[in-house]
Amino acid sequence: QVQLVESGGGLVQAGGSLRLSCAASGRTFSTYAMGWFRQAPGKEREFVASISGSGGTTYYGDSVKDRFTISRDNAKGTVYLQMDSLKPEDTAVYYCAVSLYGSGRNTRPDEYEYWGQGTQVTVSS
């Protein structure tokens, strides 16, 4: 069982930055891939970014490429999502998730076994 706790969401103006954190329980954090997804009201859950267990492989959704950066600190059991140049269309609930057998390029929600509770990000224009 893996438990995930996200933090760092909030309200920011367009063009601003936020950093989300996701702390994971368990002693095998470095063995599994992690991902970030987001879901806006009335829309499907959207892939944002993923990272392999070692951190050597990262992958991004087209809508956030070159603006967002995923990273992880295996010693702290935490994955981060640095979000820069935020746009109003980035407004959503952001979720982190664990893929026990993923490669770090996993984009489908059904490839992830554990999910956090989500944190709200609101970008005002």
Side-chain angles (χ1 to χ4, degrees), residues 14-49:
S17 298
L18 279 176
R19 188 175 83 153
L20 305 183
S21 300
C22 174
S25 64
R27 293 174 290 178
T28 59
F29 179 76
S30 63
T31 66
Y32 42 78
M34 300 289 297
W36 286 97
F37 289 77
R38 66 188 183 186
Q39 189 164 19
K43 296 189 176 181
E44 293 187 352
R45 193 161 293 194
E46 177 189 11
F47 169 74
V48 175

Side-chain angles (χ1 to χ4, degrees), residues 55-115:
T57 298
T58 58
Y59 196 64
Y60 297 91
D62 288 341
S63 61
V64 306
K65 204 173 296 182
D66 299 325
R67 298 189 299 121
F68 290 10
T69 304
I70 190 171
S71 62
R72 66 191 295 160
D73 184 335
N74 285 344
K76 294 183 178 180
T78 302
V79 64
Y80 304 97
L81 184 69
Q82 177 67 41
M83 305 185 294
D84 298 319
S85 302
L86 283 161
K87 304 174 181 180
E89 51 263 45
D90 293 319
T91 296
V93 177
Y94 283 71
Y95 299 90
C96 68
V98 166
S99 179
L100 295 175
Y101 308 106
S103 65
R105 296 174 65 88
N106 310 93
T107 64
R108 301 194 319 268
D110 64 4
E111 295 180 285
Y112 292 80
E113 290 84 6
Y114 298 100
W115 293 81

